[in-house]
Amino acid sequence: MSTAEETGEDAPWGEVTPEAARRLLVAAVEAFAERGYHATTTRDIAGRAGMSPAALYIHYKTKEELLHRISRIGHDRALALLEAEAGGEAPAAERLAGAVRSFVRWHAERYTTARVVQYELDALSDEHRTEIIELRRQSDAVVRRIISEGVAAGEFDVPDVPGTTLAVLSLCIDVARWFNAQGSRTPEEVGALYADLVLRMVAAQK
Amino acid sequence: MSTAEETGEDAPWGEVTPEAARRLLVAAVEAFAERGYHATTTRDIAGRAGMSPAALYIHYKTKEELLHRISRIGHDRALALLEAEAGGEAPAAERLAGAVRSFVRWHAERYTTARVVQYELDALSDEHRTEIIELRRQSDAVVRRIISEGVAAGEFDVPDVPGTTLAVLSLCIDVARWFNAQGSRTPEEVGALYADLVLRMVAAQK
DNA sequence: CCCGATCCTGAGCAAGCGCTTAGGGTCTGG
DNA sequence: CCAGACCCTAAGCGCTTGCTCAGGATCGGG
């Protein structure tokens, strides 16, 4: 019914195709975000999706495969957001602010997903973890590139580019930990605040 | 043997008094930090402490009590570090930089402990969690006070004091997630970098 | 030499875990 | 009305979990 209108950017799990598999995945995201991967049982996931425990194994080989799918899709999305703002001819300050705003907004709006994506890495198998870490390396590279270009253009004054990149990403990612929907700030507001703070961190000193 | 020289500030668990109980607690910190609370078994903790699984229950009523003790001591320590730098007659900029440097250094040096303290809150019982959250509220208040005083004194320009306080603490706390001992940065260096970045975040604009 | 206190272990219980399997509904095409 | 594909469930297997308990090792005081 709502599949058609949800295929855009606002449908986070539109790419998960059998509808039953998507229901299970959404249920898993909620459960993992609330209790953590290890504290979540396959019975709980199946129950939230309105199915019996056995139904899960028709669509996914293991519980870890569910986590991997969530993590993979989430990282792809986060990286795409960064890359969308990184290119172009705009000044580095504008591109950095855009990247931070958009990245932070995603971590706030989809904070259940982001929590799983950012904080359950250790629960992945070795193989899957290395795959995901490579995506994070790419995110790091995108941000570092913007900052480097800002320094080269004389827009920024950053003594330690890798360290500042790390801090910027760390700041944004941690939004997923403390943000909650009942709080007083909207994702939009947090994005704007953080973009301002990050620009101050790299600004040319007076 | 080394108990005497470790009773100072550098002995994080000096206050845990029966020696066997301390061994178990240190083992639990390691295990929780590596695998997470829920993925750690009581057999693993006891094994690391060189004891049988049953020995744990002579010193602690439950596995959750171990987590609570770790969390409580860690939060007390972190709060004490902040408070030690917050007072005095020095300019707000100096006090803020000192607090960040010291807080970050602790999160890096004791990153195993800090990881448990900061990221396993959800595993606590309702009662214990409320107790710990109150300590975090106090940490927030300490930092907010320094920033407010800096604004009042005209040292800082901060449009959103609660939001900036949140961001500063979030930035520092997240060090525990990404820091690792084999990395290229020392806790000292990360503390210095972060103190600089935070001062930029609050600095009066040119 | 024995006594009681202290601290720990071996063995194991009930419950819950991830996952499997045999089989039964339901729907489409004829 | 039937056939066969598809999707799901009831039941449960083998294992691990947090935790318990009866009893043994060790040691200072009489």
Side-chain angles (χ1 to χ4, degrees):
Chain A
M1 29 173 72
S2 55
T3 21
E5 56 167 330
E6 277 182 4
T7 16
E9 294 199 331
D10 289 342
W13 310 116
E15 59 263 69
V16 183
T17 42
E19 199 254 343
R22 179 168 51 234
R23 256 161 56 219
L24 283 164
L25 192 135
V26 169
V29 169
E30 284 174 20
F32 291 164
E34 268 178 37
R35 312 205 208 296
Y37 175 81
H38 287 291
T40 299
T41 69
T42 54
R43 284 162 177 82
D44 182 20
I45 297 170
R48 284 175 193 246
M51 302 181 195
S52 80
L56 195 151
Y57 293 91
I58 293 161
H59 301 280
Y60 301 94
K61 275 214 300 278
T62 62
K63 177 179 153 188
E64 194 267 350
E65 189 193 325
L66 256 174
L67 176 64
H68 175 238
R69 288 275 264 271
I70 294 166
S71 198
R72 175 74 215 216
I73 294 173
H75 273 95
D76 281 345
R77 183 92 192 98
L79 179 55
L81 287 175
L82 284 179
E83 280 172 342
E85 304 281 345
E89 302 295 322
E94 234 168 79
R95 287 182 286 137
L96 183 59
V100 167
R101 188 179 310 115
S102 156
F103 196 63
V104 164
R105 198 172 47 203
W106 185 79
H107 277 79
E109 257 163 17
R110 308 246 165 267
Y111 74 98
T112 49
T113 305
R115 222 168 260 184
V116 178
V117 160
Q118 300 292 1
Y119 292 103
E120 299 289 355
L121 245 164
D122 292 346
L124 289 170
S125 70
D126 287 350
E127 200 181 347
H128 287 157
R129 190 172 36 248
T130 8
E131 176 197 325
I132 298 294
I133 284 175
E134 170 57 22
L135 289 175
R136 298 172 84 109
R137 219 191 43 73
Q138 288 180 38
S139 298
D140 190 89
V142 170
V143 173
R144 176 155 42 207
R145 190 152 164 274
I146 307 178
I147 294 179
S148 297
E149 287 170 0
V151 171
E155 289 181 61
F156 299 158
D157 166 32
V158 177
D160 179 352
V161 173
T164 304
T165 303
L166 186 61
V168 168
L169 279 170
S170 164
L171 185 65
C172 297
I173 285 171
D174 201 51
V175 168
R177 182 179 56 86
W178 60 259
F179 188 85
N180 98 316
Q182 282 83 267
S184 52
R185 294 165 201 280
T186 66
E188 205 50 55
E189 287 165 356
V190 179
L193 170 63
Y194 271 48
D196 175 53
L197 289 173
V198 166
L199 283 189
R200 286 168 173 239
M201 284 174 19
V202 299
Q205 302 296 288
K206 55 183 161 186
Chain B
M1 31 175 71
S2 54
T3 20
E5 57 166 328
E6 277 182 6
T7 17
E9 293 198 330
D10 289 343
W13 309 117
E15 59 264 67
V16 184
T17 42
E19 200 253 344
R22 179 168 50 236
R23 255 162 57 218
L24 282 164
L25 193 134
V26 169
V29 169
E30 282 174 23
F32 290 163
E34 267 178 38
R35 310 204 210 297
Y37 175 80
H38 287 292
T40 299
T41 69
T42 54
R43 283 164 177 80
D44 183 19
I45 297 169
R48 285 175 193 245
M51 303 181 194
S52 81
L56 194 151
Y57 293 90
I58 294 161
H59 301 281
Y60 301 94
K61 275 213 302 280
T62 63
K63 179 178 152 188
E64 194 267 349
E65 189 193 327
L66 255 174
L67 177 62
H68 175 238
R69 288 274 264 270
I70 294 167
S71 199
R72 174 75 215 216
I73 295 173
H75 274 95
D76 281 346
R77 183 94 193 96
L79 179 55
L81 287 174
L82 285 179
E83 280 172 341
E85 304 281 346
E89 303 295 322
E94 236 168 76
R95 287 181 287 139
L96 183 59
V100 167
R101 189 180 308 113
S102 157
F103 195 64
V104 164
R105 197 174 46 206
W106 185 78
H107 277 80
E109 257 162 19
R110 308 247 166 266
Y111 73 99
T112 49
T113 305
R115 223 168 259 186
V116 178
V117 160
Q118 302 291 1
Y119 292 103
E120 300 288 355
L121 245 165
D122 292 345
L124 289 170
S125 69
D126 287 349
E127 200 180 349
H128 287 158
R129 190 172 37 247
T130 5
E131 175 197 325
I132 298 295
I133 285 176
E134 169 58 21
L135 288 175
R136 298 172 85 110
R137 220 191 43 73
Q138 289 181 40
S139 297
D140 190 88
V142 169
V143 173
R144 178 155 39 205
R145 189 151 165 276
I146 307 179
I147 294 179
S148 298
E149 288 171 359
V151 171
E155 288 182 61
F156 299 159
D157 165 31
V158 178
D160 179 352
V161 172
T164 304
T165 304
L166 187 60
V168 167
L169 279 170
S170 164
L171 185 66
C172 296
I173 285 171
D174 201 51
V175 168
R177 183 179 55 88
W178 60 259
F179 188 85
N180 98 317
Q182 283 82 267
S184 51
R185 294 165 202 279
T186 66
E188 205 50 54
E189 286 164 356
V190 179
L193 170 63
Y194 271 48
D196 175 53
L197 289 174
V198 166
L199 283 189
R200 286 167 173 241
M201 281 170 36
V202 299
Q205 302 297 287
K206 54 182 162 182

